[in-house]
Each structure stands twice: as C-alpha cells, then as structure tokens.
Amino acid sequence: MIRTRYAAALATMAFTALAITASPASAAAGETRNICSSTLTPDGWVDVQWWNSGACGSGFNPNSKQIKDLRGYPVGTQVNACASTWPPAGWTIVSTYFSSGCQYSSVPSLNPNTWTLKRTS
C-alpha cells in the first residue's frame, strides 16, 4: 500500500512538473495564456490584452498580458491583436484602431494600438 501511494505521488509530481514546464510551442491554435510583461511573446503568438497585476510586480505600467497562439489557423482567418508585438509571418495588418484592453503604457493615449490581422499564407 505504501508503494502504491509512493508511485501515485511520484506520478502526480511528474505530471505537475510537466504541466509547469510545458512551453507555448505545445499549444493549439487560438489557445491563450496569461504571462508577465517581462516575458517575451513567443514566435507565432501575439499579445491580445494588457493589465496590471500584483502577481507580476508593482508600478503604474501594465505588467501582465494575455497572449494568443496564431499558428495553425487557416488562410483567411482574421484576429484582433495588440500592436505591442509584430504580426507573425504569414499574417497581414488589415486595419488599426484603439482598444482600452491593449494599453501597454501608463501614458494615456487614444492612438490606434490594436490591429486586425489576416492570415495570408
């Protein structure tokens, strides 16, 4: 019985370690993740929202962001993304506009900060 508990505990710890260390490369198209702004947005992903969170530090600048995986979408798909990262290869900017969810600076501005992106290749 002790061996069974020990094996179950090891399996649980291994699964937890794998889940924690899983990279964005293993994500599905359209999957979103929340990360601190100090973490670079991976290739194939875009920023889709910014906010301030105590979990990522303090200060006035937004320090948290939600990122979205754009890999795997079919040609012709359109998505909205913050202008804080360049579109991945194969995606084209088709329009720009302002969104309060994409304010990635503490300096207020109503300038366009969001793109509609279209998969072109």
Side-chain angles (χ1 to χ4, degrees):
M1 182 141 167
I2 292 175
R3 279 190 187 164
T4 305
R5 286 185 189 165
Y6 183 72
L10 277 178
T12 302
M13 288 188 312
F15 178 79
T16 303
L18 180 62
I20 291 171
T21 60
S23 70
S26 64
E31 181 176 338
T32 60
R33 299 208 177 154
N34 297 333
I35 61 173
C36 294
S37 63
S38 59
T39 304
L40 294 177
T41 302
D43 289 341
W45 293 66
V46 291
D47 301 341
V48 293
Q49 186 177 9
W50 285 79
W51 68 94
N52 210 331
S53 168
C56 291
S58 61
F60 294 104
N61 285 328
N63 61 6
S64 300
K65 59 185 175 179
Q66 185 174 71
I67 60 174
K68 185 174 191 172
D69 186 5
L70 297 188
R71 296 167 299 165
Y73 277 112
V75 171
T77 301
Q78 290 192 1
V79 298
N80 298 322
C82 298
S84 51
T85 54
W86 286 106
W91 290 84
T92 303
I93 300 168
V94 294
S95 67
T96 61
Y97 60 95
F98 172 80
S99 169
S100 61
C102 283
Q103 288 185 296
Y104 49 90
S105 170
S106 61
V107 179
S109 170
L110 297 177
N111 291 331
N113 61 359
T114 309
W115 296 322
T116 298
L117 304 176
K118 184 174 184 177
R119 181 75 188 255
T120 54
S121 64

